[in-house]
Amino acid sequence: MMKRITSTISDVRGELFGFSIITIILFHYFENAEAAGFGGAASVITKIYNLALGSSGVEIFLFLSGMGLFYSLSGDLRLSEFYRKRLTRILPAYLVLGGAGWLILDILLQKTG
């Protein structure tokens, strides 16, 4: 039974990720709309969304990410191999974006050296 549930979730994982990302974007929109203090129907829609869904997209996204990491780790990989694969995927992008951000903010804009 549990195997069937996790298999079903795996089959629609992309759609669930998409749904969670859209709900996160909408949450931020409605959060800003509520802070702006719109009146009338916009205020009612904002309150309904925040009460009904709120930040549930974050929980869905974290659940799916954790499930993906679990399946990735439950293979034949050793823990050191698991972390090596993650670092080789994440670290280059982080260094490029972090380096560019540091260069723009610290060197060009703030001139801190």
Side-chain angles (χ1 to χ4, degrees):
M1 170 95 174
M2 187 64 169
K3 179 86 169 158
R4 193 171 67 193
I5 292 171
T6 56
S7 175
T8 303
I9 291 173
S10 288
D11 291 343
V12 294
R13 187 173 65 122
E15 290 82 359
L16 290 172
F17 267 120
F19 174 76
S20 68
I21 290 169
I22 289 170
T23 58
I24 291 168
I25 292 169
L26 287 173
F27 171 72
H28 287 292
Y29 171 78
F30 283 119
E31 189 178 47
N32 291 338
E34 188 174 24
F38 294 134
S43 176
V44 172
I45 292 170
T46 299
K47 287 185 188 342
I48 290 172
Y49 182 85
N50 286 338
L51 285 174
L53 288 175
S55 63
S56 61
V58 175
E59 287 84 4
I60 295 169
F61 190 88
L62 289 175
F63 171 75
L64 293 172
S65 297
M67 199 171 135
L69 284 173
F70 168 76
Y71 281 119
S72 179
L73 186 57
S74 65
D76 292 334
L77 294 176
R78 295 183 317 272
L79 190 59
S80 61
E81 184 69 16
F82 172 80
Y83 281 117
R84 188 192 63 75
K85 282 180 69 176
R86 295 299 166 287
L87 285 175
T88 57
R89 288 182 184 170
I90 295 170
L91 202 55
Y94 174 76
L95 291 174
V96 169
L97 294 174
W102 171 77
L103 179 71
I104 291 169
L105 291 175
D106 284 352
I107 303 297
L108 299 176
L109 297 178
Q110 296 177 353
K111 298 182 182 3
T112 58

